[in-house]
């Protein structure tokens, strides 16, 4: 824990209102600021409640947005590169949260909470884990018992506001009736802190820095991550029993949030036990997709069905809806029955290091290629040209036989890219702001190559991260690199490219808005990739035939 910083000094936030309770009407909303909510140990947290001023005492379902980013941090816009258009959100909207001016006229109450230890709420801030889950549970039960509530609470929101839903829903508060996690990681080690065992140094410290504004103490997440490089009891304390979630859930993921939310959102949906669960995976920028008018109208149908008891035809929705991308702006949607798709054909494409290419048949002769992992120009490229249209939708895996010359470890970064018929890169939406991103990404520190045999599949390796296995001089070892799920359509004549590098492949970022970064690296000397002959280095791709 660390001592909190004076909440009134937070940069890039509106002025912090006083702690006093106050209520008023504005633009058809009845707003109550700083309602005290008691936790089971007597600590009181503060929430803001928005209700329709025309019917504040009706039987209103509650939509809860829970995050430590400050319920007073309201804005009617986001950064221009986010793609959120003017008019898509009102000035009453907290960061990544539902918009009261959209929901209250539809007969809902909207609540924004400052969790324990955040801003002016009492206590010390705990970042996820059972303690925060129990606090959210207590808040849900408090809201459901208010005289104007219909006794049903739903949750929605992006990122933190999604991840907390997995945690609290697994604890089964009686009045939590519906979930809408819109992109949020669910494996704290593998998706948030250590990608393939390589510490994340961009988003994570910045996100941790946002948690320091408190009258008490706050968990120092960045320091804890640095102190726990292997999967130990600290990370087990962040685990979520996703299989315990059994209430209706409308889960939204994206292909574009490689390095943060893509993997965990999809995994959460897969593991939930809910009989009523739906999955949408889009290729859009995440905030733009959340606030897009048609997205909110579809979510309103879901909440009307499960928070109001009105039949909106949700049971007839396809269980899975996918956008199949050709480019950032060309990505038609398709309905499916399951994920991953049962008709997927996993095909190996073998590396030819002498031709920088990929082949459908094994390469007979063994050879190797080397690059300097410390040079921004150092990389290995392998291309495969499609002679007919092909859809790759699902999980990919890169198996490499590697050697570290002059070092005892390797940090491996992988990107899948698309090239058009002329060999020029085709960009995709990436990390909420960009449209020149990859198909998908993968990472692995070679010393973390040990597989969890029970959890791994031929197409999705899962690493234990319980110990390190350093390399001996001259030792050549196989590694299996998980590449996060994606969906891309290739036309005949277009190419798939595999990039292997010793550092982040996508390094440009807007000022003060870093995406996933990895700057705590072990690379020295040369990286060698062995392929051909007995070295079956290959990319396993998910080919989906037409339905």
């Amino acid at each position: 824990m660390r001592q909190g910083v004076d909440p009134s000094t937070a940069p890039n936030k509106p002025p912090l209102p006083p702690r006093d309770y106050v209520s008023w009407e504005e633009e058809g909303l009845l707003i109550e600021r700083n309602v005290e909510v008691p936790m089971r140990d007597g600590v009181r947290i503060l929430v803001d409640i928005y209700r329709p001023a025309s019917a504040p005492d009706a039987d209103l379902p509650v939509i809860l947005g829970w995050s430590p980013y400050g319920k007073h941090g309201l804005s009617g816009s986001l950064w221009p590169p986010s793609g959120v258009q003017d008019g898509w959100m009102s000035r009453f909207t907290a960061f990544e949260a539902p918009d009261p001016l959209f929901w209250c006229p539809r007969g809902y109450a909207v609540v924004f909470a400052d969790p324990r230890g955040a801003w002016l709420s009492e206590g010390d801030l705990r970042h996820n884990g059972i303690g925060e889950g129990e606090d959210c549970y207590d808040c849900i039960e408090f809201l459901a018992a208010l005289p104007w509530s219909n006794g049903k609470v739903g949750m929605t929101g992006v990122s933190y506001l999604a991840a907390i839903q997995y945690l609290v829903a697994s604890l089964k508060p009686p009045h939590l009736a519906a979930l809408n996690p819109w992109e949020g990681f669910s494996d704290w080690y593998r998706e948030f802190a250590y990608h393939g065992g390589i510490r994340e140094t961009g988003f994570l410290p910045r996100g941790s820095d946002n948690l320091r504004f408190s009258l008490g103490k706050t968990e120092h997440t960045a320091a804890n991550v640095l102190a726990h490089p292997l999967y130990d009891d600290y990370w087990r304390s962040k685990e979520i029993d996703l299989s315990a979630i059994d209430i209706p859930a409308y889960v939204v993921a994206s292909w574009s949030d490689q390095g943060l939310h893509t993997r965990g959102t999809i995994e959460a949906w897969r593991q939930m036990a809910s009989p009523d669960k739906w999955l949408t995976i889009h290729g859009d920028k995440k905030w733009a997709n959340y606030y897009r008018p048609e997205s909110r109208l579809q979510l309103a149908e879901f909440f009307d069905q499960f928070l109001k008891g009105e039949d909106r035809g949700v049971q007839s929705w396809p269980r899975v809806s996918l956008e199949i991308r050709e480019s950032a702006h060309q990505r038609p949607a398709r309905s499916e029955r399951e994920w991953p798709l049962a008709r997927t054909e996993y095909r190996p494409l073998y590396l030819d290091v002498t031709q920088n290419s990929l082949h459908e048949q094994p390469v007979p002769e063994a050879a190797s290629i080397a690059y300097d992992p410390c040079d921004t120009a150092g990389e290995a490229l392998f291309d495969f040209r499609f002679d007919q249209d092909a859809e790759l939708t699902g999980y990919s895996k890169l198996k490499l036989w590697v050697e570290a010359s002059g070092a005892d470890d390797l940090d491996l970064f992988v990107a899948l890219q698309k090239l058009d018929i002329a060999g020029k890169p085709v960009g995709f939406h990436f990390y909420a702001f960009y449209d020149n991103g990859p198909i998908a990404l993968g990472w692995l520190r070679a010393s973390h190559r040990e597989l969890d045999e029970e959890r791994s599949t031929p197409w999705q390796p899962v690493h234990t991260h319980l110990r390190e296995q350093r390399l001996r001089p001259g030792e050549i070892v196989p590694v299996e690199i998980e590449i996060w799920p994606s969906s891309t359509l290739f036309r005949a004549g277009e190419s798939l490219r595999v990039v292997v590098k010793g550092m982040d492949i996508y390094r440009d970022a807007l000022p003060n808005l870093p995406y996933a970064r990895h700057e705590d690296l072990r690379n020295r000397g040369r990286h060698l990739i062995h392929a051909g002959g007995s070295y079956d280095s290959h990319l396993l791709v998910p080919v989906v035939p037409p339905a």
Side-chain angles (χ1 to χ4, degrees):
M1 303 293 282
R2 57 180 171 178
Q3 184 58 48
V5 175
D6 181 353
S8 66
T9 65
N12 307 314
K13 288 284 185 184
L16 182 67
R19 191 189 187 283
D20 300 339
Y21 169 85
V22 62
S23 67
W24 72 97
E25 291 187 15
E26 187 174 358
E27 291 195 35
L29 301 175
L30 174 60
I31 304 170
E32 295 179 90
R33 177 185 292 154
N34 291 336
V35 176
E36 292 187 350
V37 180
M39 303 290 96
R40 61 190 65 185
D41 62 355
V43 165
R44 295 168 296 175
I45 71 168
L46 302 178
V47 305
D48 292 351
I49 300 176
Y50 299 78
R51 287 182 282 160
S54 60
D57 297 320
D59 288 336
L60 302 174
V62 178
I63 298 176
L64 173 62
W66 179 285
S67 88
Y69 298 142
K71 59 184 177 59
H72 67 291
L74 308 178
S75 175
S77 64
L78 288 170
W79 301 275
S82 71
V84 176
Q85 303 298 307
D86 290 343
W88 285 6
M89 53 192 291
S90 78
R91 60 187 177 88
F92 301 99
T93 310
F95 183 54
E96 300 184 319
D99 180 356
L101 205 57
F102 173 85
W103 290 102
C104 292
R106 286 168 170 76
Y108 289 88
V110 173
V111 177
F112 301 146
D114 282 343
R116 176 190 300 253
W119 306 95
L120 301 179
S121 286
E122 296 175 356
D124 296 334
L125 187 146
R126 302 171 295 188
H127 192 190
N128 199 254
I130 188 66
E132 186 174 9
E134 290 174 347
D135 285 350
C136 191
Y137 180 119
D138 294 346
C139 184
I140 289 167
E141 294 306 295
F142 173 89
L143 296 171
L146 292 172
W148 46 261
S149 170
N150 76 346
K152 292 186 177 181
V153 178
M155 298 184 72
T156 184
V158 178
S159 191
Y160 200 111
L161 293 89
I164 185 64
Q165 295 180 50
Y166 310 141
L167 177 60
V168 70
S170 71
L171 302 180
K172 301 182 182 294
H175 294 93
L176 180 59
L179 302 177
N180 173 233
W182 207 289
E183 303 193 44
F185 59 80
S186 54
D187 186 323
W188 280 67
Y189 183 92
R190 293 174 178 85
E191 297 155 8
F192 172 61
Y194 285 90
H195 293 139
I198 307 170
R199 183 165 64 92
E200 202 284 319
T201 58
F203 176 82
L204 190 151
R206 179 173 175 268
S208 177
D209 205 40
N210 288 332
L211 306 181
R212 71 189 190 277
F213 302 103
S214 173
L215 298 177
K217 295 180 179 180
T218 66
E219 183 172 341
H220 196 336
T221 296
N224 285 333
V225 168
L226 186 61
H228 298 275
L230 296 175
Y231 202 94
D232 57 14
D233 287 341
Y234 173 76
W235 296 110
R236 293 183 188 96
S237 76
K238 307 292 187 184
E239 289 179 348
I240 302 166
D241 183 5
L242 295 165
S243 66
I245 299 174
D246 58 5
I247 62 174
Y250 172 38
V251 180
V252 180
S254 75
W255 309 125
S256 57
D257 227 37
Q258 299 281 323
L260 190 57
H261 295 319
T262 298
R263 179 189 191 273
T265 315
I266 296 171
E267 292 303 302
W269 182 86
R270 289 179 65 189
Q271 296 180 45
M272 288 177 180
S274 308
D276 296 316
K277 64 176 183 178
W278 293 266
L279 174 66
T280 291
I281 315 177
H282 63 85
D284 202 356
K285 299 176 180 180
K286 61 185 174 187
W287 294 318
N289 188 264
Y290 182 65
Y291 291 109
R292 195 176 295 281
E294 53 267 39
S295 296
R296 296 199 298 186
L297 290 173
Q298 182 160 358
L299 177 56
E301 292 181 354
F302 174 76
F303 278 154
D304 285 351
Q305 181 107 16
F306 294 106
L307 298 183
K308 289 185 174 182
E310 300 174 358
D311 186 357
R312 297 297 189 190
V314 175
Q315 295 291 356
S316 65
W317 286 5
R319 290 292 168 168
V320 176
S321 177
L322 310 174
E323 287 188 352
I324 313 301
R325 303 175 300 171
E326 288 199 57
S327 66
H329 301 284
Q330 189 175 2
R331 44 179 211 274
R334 187 178 70 221
S335 298
E336 294 287 352
R337 293 184 295 272
E338 75 286 313
W339 178 268
L341 306 185
R343 64 185 184 280
T344 304
E345 301 171 2
Y346 294 97
R347 299 179 187 173
L349 299 176
Y350 295 92
L351 274 63
D352 184 339
V353 298
T354 64
Q355 301 293 323
N356 299 110
S357 58
L358 298 164
H359 300 278
E360 293 179 306
Q361 299 300 321
V363 176
E365 298 297 326
S368 65
I369 189 172
Y371 61 88
D372 183 348
C374 302
D375 185 344
T376 56
E379 60 188 14
L381 307 178
F382 305 94
D383 293 349
F384 180 84
R385 185 178 181 274
F386 291 92
D387 57 11
Q388 58 185 355
D389 290 359
E391 179 190 325
L392 305 185
T393 295
Y395 299 84
S396 299
K397 178 186 75 174
L398 182 62
K399 180 179 180 180
L400 298 177
W401 287 84
V402 296
E403 177 186 353
S405 175
D408 63 358
D409 213 344
L410 305 88
D411 290 329
L412 298 164
F413 294 76
V414 177
L416 303 187
Q417 299 173 341
K418 179 179 177 178
L419 307 180
D420 66 16
I421 293 177
K424 296 181 179 179
V426 177
F428 296 93
H429 286 315
F430 178 46
Y431 217 78
F433 295 107
Y434 308 91
D435 58 9
N436 60 347
I439 293 171
L441 295 175
W443 312 259
L444 185 64
R445 176 162 285 171
S447 60
H448 284 242
R449 64 189 178 276
E450 183 177 61
L451 292 174
D452 184 328
E453 299 294 348
E454 290 187 1
R455 297 176 61 187
S456 295
T457 67
W459 40 267
Q460 188 184 25
V462 179
H463 301 90
T464 65
H465 302 292
L466 295 175
R467 60 172 178 161
E468 291 191 344
Q469 296 174 303
R470 300 290 185 115
L471 279 69
R472 298 185 300 274
E475 184 180 15
I476 303 171
V477 299
V479 298
E480 296 190 14
I481 303 170
E482 177 186 12
I483 298 175
W484 284 19
S486 63
S487 178
T488 310
L489 178 63
F490 293 84
R491 298 295 182 182
E494 296 178 332
S495 297
L496 168 67
R497 169 167 286 177
V498 178
V499 183
V500 183
K501 205 174 181 74
M503 62 183 69
D504 285 307
I505 297 167
Y506 291 83
R507 303 178 61 80
D508 296 330
L510 298 170
N512 302 317
L513 296 172
Y515 46 73
R517 295 269 189 162
H518 308 82
E519 293 154 322
D520 182 11
L521 303 177
R522 290 184 176 169
N523 294 321
R524 300 191 310 276
R526 307 276 284 175
H527 285 183
L528 282 80
I529 298 174
H530 297 262
S534 61
Y535 299 114
D536 62 334
S537 294
H538 67 272
L539 175 70
L540 192 69
V541 294
V543 179
V544 176

